[in-house]
Amino acid sequence: MHEEYLEAFLAEAMENVERLETLCLTLERDGSRPDLLDEMFRAAHTPKGMSATMGFSKLATLTHRVEDLLGALRDAHVPVEPRHVDALLSAVDRMRARLQAIAASSQEPEETDDDVLAALAGALSRSEGTFEPRDSSRAPFANLSDWARRAAAENKELYTIHLRLVPECIMPGVRLAMAYQALKASATFMGAHPAEDQVMAGQVEATEAFAAVLVSPGEIARVREAVLDITDVSACDVSKVNEVPSTPVTDKPRPERDDLSVKDSMSRPSFGALASGADLRRDATLRVPVRKADELMNALSDLVITKTRLATLVAASDDPDLKEAAERLDRLVADIQDGLTRLRMVLVETVFHRYPRMMRDLERRLRRELDFVMTGLDTEMDRVVLEEMGEVLVHLLRNAVDHGLEPPEVRESQGKPRRGTVRLSAYTSGGQVFLEVSDDGRGIDRDRVLQTAIAKGWVAPEEGASMSDESVFALLFRPGFSTAERVSDISGRGVGLDAVREKVEALGGQIRLQSVLGAGTTFIIQLPLTLAILPALLVSVRGQVFAIPTANVDEVRRLTRDDIRHVQERPVLRDEKGIVPIVDLAERLALGARREGYPQTVVVCRDGKRRLALLVDQVLDELEVVNKPLGRFLQHVREFAGATVLGDGRVSLILDVRFIANSA
């Protein structure tokens, strides 16, 4: 049973931990408010109960102590201080580490969490002095005096207990009934409000209740634990009744609580409606292991290849029934492909949510002051691509804070706002996903970059004089650019960027940067929506068939001799958009000599702002191809981004337009 549910436990627990981290940052930024603390409580409460069920006791204890601090903040209505958030974030880090360790070994680590528990306890204890002690006399019981006398006679202690359920609790009456049963099983149950018989009959929908119990000295902690283990119980505040009021209080709930209860009751649908709604929520999402989705996608890839093969055979047939069946199959495969592709798409928010915490820590550690702005969180992209980009974005964001933003006093001396801004944006355009990391910091000194490249012998001085800004900044992505002398000159902007580019290109994407000295820098990453299946234009070159991703294709043109110009003895195409270099694929791929006859067919491709005309023999078709990785013997041939199997069974290489354009 443990192994059966471990995967689901880890997924849900990690989701709640990440949610709790985000809420901690919101708490620090916006201060406490009831709805926020309630949300944090729910994020901590769920993994606590699941951990206890799975037998991970240390994780359950840790989350329990997080709840204690959250409960104290909520009940005391004290201003949230940095030490509170620090303690909560340290607990979040430990919870995440424990979950990762459990994922790796299926076992909970033996190490204790004494340091984190001490931090939570410290934050809690230092806050207790500001908490308003709960007045037990406010509990709605008229006979506390009699119960207190009985407790004294039996050498026991009388406690009033204030129970609260999470606001969205679907069946509050059932949860309260379970809580009452837990109290009766672990203590002498004296009474409750709402009354026990009403709760057991399901006649209440309150999300809070009071109870009174007698326990032996020192046993109230055990009673409290038993109640808190019940799902949807968010708080269990206990107050020892030391002094019995001379005048019994009336059996009347606190007015403000009553008001809330009435409002809750009025706005709450009927019990039956709630139960129906709960079922709908359960059906709204379905957790599927990523491994199974990937297996299904691989099977679909083979199905697409088979479909293409079948379409080729059908084209040579005169059987109308066969043609109809093939068309039907084509539509079905397209529907499945579309649906499965959508399943693999996830919101970028699922990865972006990691970064506010990191930026907060960087801000403190590097003594910067910044606003971190994220936009386009609802942008969707392939899960695999997004996960692979996680570390790339970490690198760029760290770079933006460490090397991009100036210290606050420097910014002020330059007339800039003391607080800098770092933006992380996502958006889609033309079947591609764009991720941007920008800052309004010092920018990059173009001339220093160029002079460094010239000093290294990478660029000839005469060549550097005609280089565009984009070409100069592209030098930062070259391995080995980050030497010590360059770091002091241009703020280390080249450190690790070669690794960043390598990762982006491995995913079929590209990266470039724009920078204005003194105004800031923007890194722009362009990625495919999905890696598995892509539309492509098939072209023939000396009898070989190659695929060009249509995302890179601008147009197909027929050229006469008069259309071609020469710049520095290189053929180019001039049109209304500018000059486009012409590359003969036969010559480039060593398949034969350059074509001399006219007219000639070129496929005008685009790589970002750069354009390139690929000279081919013939354009064959446009269809969807399955992008298969190259084998180890071809993986270092940079002109190709992958391979696919055509309908006739032949293997076609997919051209890497970006690399060909860069090296043209």
Side-chain angles (χ1 to χ4, degrees):
M1 177 178 174
H2 182 282
E3 294 298 331
E4 182 181 357
Y5 296 107
L6 181 60
E7 196 169 355
F9 159 75
L10 289 170
E12 188 164 357
M14 186 61 80
E15 184 178 298
N16 279 280
V17 169
E18 290 170 349
R19 176 67 177 156
L20 182 60
E21 182 180 68
T22 300
L23 294 171
C24 285
L25 299 177
T26 305
L27 180 69
E28 183 178 55
R29 185 188 65 228
D30 300 344
S32 65
R33 55 177 200 268
D35 60 331
L36 176 59
L37 288 170
D38 286 343
E39 182 70 16
M40 297 179 71
F41 218 98
R42 287 192 291 273
H45 185 76
T46 301
K48 186 196 78 170
M50 293 190 303
S51 302
T53 302
M54 296 292 293
F56 302 130
S57 58
K58 292 185 175 62
L59 184 57
T61 300
L62 183 59
T63 51
H64 194 164
R65 295 297 171 257
V66 169
E67 281 189 334
D68 287 343
L69 180 54
L70 292 173
L73 292 173
R74 182 178 58 186
D75 294 344
H77 304 291
V78 297
V80 174
E81 300 175 12
R83 58 191 174 85
H84 296 136
V85 179
D86 289 343
L88 290 171
L89 287 175
S90 66
V92 165
D93 290 341
R94 187 61 54 84
M95 292 161 66
R96 181 182 289 114
R98 283 201 167 275
L99 289 171
Q100 291 170 343
I102 292 171
S105 64
S106 301
Q107 301 293 329
E108 187 175 32
E110 292 297 329
E111 290 81 1
T112 65
D113 301 313
D114 293 344
D115 53 339
V116 178
L117 295 177
L120 290 169
L124 182 63
S125 62
R126 280 184 286 175
S127 300
E128 283 176 346
T130 62
F131 289 171
E132 179 185 352
R134 186 171 298 283
D135 184 359
S136 61
S137 67
R138 296 182 67 189
F141 300 118
N143 41 2
L144 281 177
S145 298
D146 295 339
W147 293 344
R149 281 191 287 274
R150 176 180 170 183
E154 297 180 8
N155 195 27
K156 292 189 175 180
E157 295 172 337
L158 173 64
Y159 284 88
T160 58
I161 297 176
H162 182 199
L163 294 169
R164 272 171 293 184
L165 306 179
V166 295
E168 73 277 15
C169 178
I170 298 171
M171 297 177 290
V174 174
R175 297 306 183 200
L176 290 181
M178 295 172 65
Y180 286 5
Q181 291 290 350
L183 289 174
K184 294 179 73 172
S186 54
T188 303
F189 192 74
M190 302 303 293
H193 177 87
E196 182 183 6
D197 54 350
Q198 288 180 295
V199 170
M200 295 303 176
Q203 297 175 353
V204 297
E205 295 192 3
T207 56
E208 62 179 323
F210 293 88
V213 295
L214 296 182
V215 295
S216 298
E219 287 192 343
I220 190 60
R222 178 178 55 79
V223 176
R224 187 172 183 272
E225 290 279 343
V227 174
L228 285 172
D229 280 342
I230 297 172
T231 302
D232 289 342
V233 176
S234 62
C236 175
D237 303 323
V238 297
S239 299
K240 184 177 180 181
V241 182
N242 293 317
E243 296 181 3
V244 179
S246 57
T247 304
V249 296
T250 59
D251 189 3
K252 179 180 179 181
R254 289 176 292 173
E256 62 272 24
R257 297 294 186 188
D258 266 354
D259 290 346
L260 290 173
S261 298
V262 169
K263 290 176 182 176
D264 285 347
S265 177
M266 290 177 64
S267 60
R268 192 185 300 279
S270 67
F271 188 87
L274 282 170
S276 175
D279 290 340
L280 289 175
R281 281 191 288 274
R282 290 191 191 100
D283 291 338
T285 59
L286 176 65
R287 291 185 184 277
V288 178
V290 172
R291 169 179 47 79
K292 293 184 178 179
D294 289 342
E295 290 173 355
L296 193 56
M297 180 56 84
N298 288 334
L300 177 64
S301 299
D302 293 337
L303 181 60
V304 171
I305 292 173
T306 304
K307 181 203 71 173
T308 306
R309 170 65 173 158
L310 180 61
T312 303
L313 298 175
V314 170
S317 172
D318 295 328
D319 188 338
D321 293 336
L322 183 60
K323 290 181 180 293
E324 181 181 351
E327 291 173 358
R328 173 64 175 162
L329 176 65
D330 186 67
R331 290 193 296 271
L332 289 174
V333 171
D335 289 344
I336 296 173
Q337 178 182 326
D338 181 64
L340 190 54
T341 300
R342 289 180 182 278
L343 281 180
R344 290 170 57 90
M345 303 292 279
V346 296
L347 298 178
V348 298
E349 183 182 15
T350 58
V351 168
F352 280 17
H353 72 79
R354 309 172 183 169
Y355 302 130
R357 166 70 186 286
M358 181 190 76
M359 299 298 279
R360 178 238 190 213
D361 293 345
L362 283 174
E363 183 181 17
R364 287 190 172 191
R365 192 167 68 216
L366 299 175
R367 299 183 183 282
R368 300 290 194 271
E369 294 183 15
L370 64 94
D371 294 319
F372 180 49
V373 180
M374 296 191 297
T375 59
L377 297 181
D378 56 350
T379 303
E380 290 186 330
M381 61 187 298
D382 188 281
R383 179 195 59 79
V384 174
V385 178
L386 182 59
E387 288 292 337
E388 290 290 331
M389 289 307 301
E391 286 304 313
V392 168
L393 294 177
V394 166
H395 184 95
L396 296 179
L397 288 170
R398 285 176 175 169
N399 209 339
V401 180
D402 192 10
H403 303 296
L405 294 184
E406 310 92 334
E409 58 277 10
V410 174
R411 292 178 62 87
E412 283 187 326
S413 68
Q414 296 173 346
K416 289 183 173 182
R418 184 176 176 85
R419 297 182 65 82
T421 301
V422 176
R423 296 180 182 277
L424 174 60
S425 308
Y427 57 93
T428 59
S429 178
Q432 303 270 300
V433 179
F434 291 81
L435 304 176
E436 291 188 5
V437 176
S438 64
D439 65 72
D440 63 350
R442 53 173 59 92
I444 298 175
D445 190 329
R446 174 194 184 281
D447 292 338
R448 289 185 181 276
V449 174
L450 181 58
Q451 291 305 316
T452 302
I454 292 174
K456 287 177 173 292
W458 291 351
V459 177
E462 57 275 15
E463 182 186 358
S466 61
M467 289 180 68
S468 65
D469 290 349
E470 185 177 0
S471 299
V472 172
F473 291 141
L475 294 169
L476 292 169
F477 294 99
R478 294 184 61 167
F481 196 87
S482 55
T483 61
E485 61 271 20
R486 189 209 56 79
V487 170
S488 63
D489 286 337
I490 60 170
S491 306
R493 274 294 195 176
V495 177
L497 287 183
D498 58 317
V500 169
R501 185 184 67 173
E502 183 177 347
K503 172 64 74 176
V504 172
E505 291 177 352
L507 295 170
Q510 54 185 295
I511 183 172
R512 65 181 187 276
L513 74 85
Q514 300 169 346
S515 185
V516 177
L517 186 62
T521 302
T522 299
F523 286 87
I524 304 169
I525 300 173
Q526 182 177 349
L527 293 162
L529 277 175
T530 182
L531 296 178
I533 300 173
L534 68 156
L537 191 70
L538 298 184
V539 298
S540 171
V541 179
R542 300 294 194 270
Q544 301 289 323
V545 179
F546 298 95
I548 304 174
T550 54
N552 295 115
V553 176
D554 255 7
E555 61 177 331
V556 177
R557 298 182 61 171
R558 294 281 284 175
L559 301 182
T560 65
R561 186 186 298 275
D562 295 338
D563 294 323
I564 298 178
R565 302 287 187 271
H566 286 82
V567 175
Q568 296 179 345
E569 299 182 353
R570 295 182 178 181
V572 299
L573 167 66
R574 181 188 293 276
D575 62 10
E576 66 280 1
K577 298 178 183 176
I579 295 176
V580 185
I582 299 176
V583 173
D584 189 328
L585 276 180
E587 187 178 29
R588 175 60 184 266
L589 302 178
L591 296 175
R594 176 181 174 79
R595 172 186 286 271
E596 297 296 340
Y598 292 93
Q600 297 178 346
T601 301
V602 294
V603 180
V604 181
C605 300
R606 177 179 295 279
D607 174 61
K609 293 182 178 179
R610 184 187 295 113
R611 293 194 301 156
L612 178 72
L614 298 178
L615 183 60
V616 301
D617 294 335
Q618 187 179 4
V619 174
L620 302 176
D621 199 357
E622 181 180 357
L623 48 79
E624 290 183 327
V625 299
V626 178
N627 187 359
K628 296 285 188 181
L630 296 172
R632 59 189 179 93
F633 293 111
L634 291 176
Q635 61 184 357
H636 299 299
V637 182
R638 304 295 302 277
E639 282 81 2
F640 306 121
T644 188
V645 180
L646 302 177
D648 57 6
R650 289 184 295 169
V651 174
S652 174
L653 295 171
I654 302 172
L655 295 177
D656 187 339
V657 173
R658 180 207 53 77
F659 179 79
I660 297 175
N662 285 341
S663 55

